[in-house]
Amino acid sequence: MPHIWVEYSANIEKEIDVPQLLETVQKALIDDGSVFPFAGARTRGVRVDNYLIVDGHPDNAFVHVLLRIASGRSEADRKAAGDRVFSNVKDYLSQLMARRPLGLSVQMEESDAEVNLKTSNYRDYLKLRAAG
């Protein structure tokens, strides 16, 4: 953890650099790694083809960021991380927002510790790559 989903309306895909948007979100959430571990990050871009935004006008667009984190962080740490992500994504999308109707939202959810089952060997490979 954290797991990150960045949903975006299909009508903006040619106007944004999706990999850069994903990197912007992940870097903002992870920050210095003291609260959220880099090795735990899983970030996905999800293009949404079917959507209805407010009045249904075809220019309407959205970006929604869902941050799912393991439980145990303080409210202050969660708030700071959410604010950091929102601010960075808002800055990244500012030019797009100046040109068209765009809704931006960031939501953070905590996973239930009792049913948050996981395993990975990412840390092992990060060490190997660093040594290589």
Side-chain angles (χ1 to χ4, degrees):
M1 291 245 139
H3 286 242
I4 304 164
W5 288 263
V6 180
E7 297 178 334
Y8 59 92
S9 54
N11 63 345
I12 61 170
E13 188 169 51
K14 292 181 181 172
E15 297 180 67
I16 61 173
D17 180 341
V18 174
Q20 183 63 47
L21 175 60
L22 301 181
E23 186 175 332
T24 297
V25 172
Q26 182 172 297
K27 281 184 174 181
L29 181 63
I30 300 302
D31 195 36
D32 66 2
S34 63
V35 176
F36 299 102
F38 175 66
R42 318 287 194 278
T43 304
R44 309 147 177 91
V46 181
R47 173 187 155 133
V48 179
D49 290 312
N50 298 301
Y51 52 87
L52 177 63
I53 304 169
V54 292
D55 64 354
H57 193 281
D59 289 346
N60 295 343
F62 74 89
V63 172
H64 175 67
V65 179
L66 173 60
L67 310 167
R68 185 163 298 140
I69 62 169
S71 60
R73 274 71 177 204
S74 72
E75 183 177 343
D77 284 340
R78 293 191 318 269
K79 174 79 170 114
D83 287 346
R84 205 170 43 245
V85 170
F86 187 74
S87 176
N88 279 269
V89 174
K90 188 175 173 185
D91 287 349
Y92 181 79
L93 296 172
S94 64
Q95 291 181 3
L96 181 64
M97 191 168 242
R99 295 191 309 265
R100 69 178 311 142
L102 177 68
L104 169 61
S105 55
V106 174
Q107 176 183 354
M108 185 179 293
E109 297 177 350
E110 283 186 304
S111 293
D112 182 334
E114 297 301 315
V115 291
N116 185 10
L117 311 172
K118 60 191 173 209
T119 187
S120 83
N121 60 358
Y122 294 129
R123 286 175 177 79
D124 298 334
Y125 279 89
L126 284 170
K127 288 177 190 172
L128 287 172
R129 290 178 191 136

